[in-house]
């Protein structure tokens, strides 16, 4: 007789799939904004007088902060799906 654990079947569960899909979308947006912000900050260092670049950096920082406020786990060291759907280590 084989024992099935919740964790063995998690990937088959619709709720897990829905959460994973939503998480991937947020993570993709978060990463895209971080890359754009990094590039904009580097460009601003090259041209510190540019009002356009300063406004772009300000906007991207705000957007990043909004995403982190909406989903604090984006800046967390432990992904939400790990915390919810995996057994504790140890």
């Amino acid at each position: 007789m084989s024992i099935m654990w919740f964790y063995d079947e998690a990937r088959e569960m619709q709720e897990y799939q829905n959460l994973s899909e939503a998480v991937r979308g947020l993570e993709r947006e978060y990463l895209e904004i971080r890359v754009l912000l990094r590039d904009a900050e580097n460009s601003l260092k090259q041209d510190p007088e540019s009002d356009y670049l300063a406004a772009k950096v300000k906007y991207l920082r705000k957007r990043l902060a909004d995403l982190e406020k909406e989903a604090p786990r984006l800046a967390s060291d432990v992904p939400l799906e790990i915390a919810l759907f995996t057994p504790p280590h140890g």
Side-chain angles (χ1 to χ4, degrees):
M1 173 174 152
S2 92
I3 298 175
M4 293 297 291
W5 295 92
F6 165 77
Y7 309 109
D8 296 333
E9 299 171 351
R11 294 209 184 275
E12 299 169 10
M13 296 174 57
Q14 187 62 43
E15 294 87 3
Y16 178 83
Q17 291 174 7
N18 293 343
L19 177 63
S20 292
E21 201 171 298
V23 165
R24 279 192 301 272
L26 274 175
E27 288 174 342
R28 191 173 17 257
E29 182 180 3
Y30 186 72
L31 177 60
E32 181 180 322
I33 291 171
R34 288 188 59 172
V35 169
L36 290 171
L37 177 58
R38 179 202 63 203
D39 294 345
E41 287 174 336
N42 286 337
S43 296
L44 185 59
K45 285 179 186 174
Q46 300 298 318
D47 185 9
E49 301 298 319
S50 172
D51 292 336
Y52 169 75
L53 291 174
K56 185 175 182 178
V57 166
K58 183 178 178 181
Y59 168 77
L60 290 171
R61 284 182 181 158
K62 169 114 174 60
R63 184 65 188 123
L64 199 63
D66 290 346
L67 270 179
E68 289 173 350
K69 189 183 296 183
E70 179 184 330
R73 55 155 218 80
L74 288 172
S76 172
D77 291 335
V78 179
L80 179 62
E81 60 272 20
I82 297 297
L84 290 177
F85 294 104
T86 59
H89 68 289

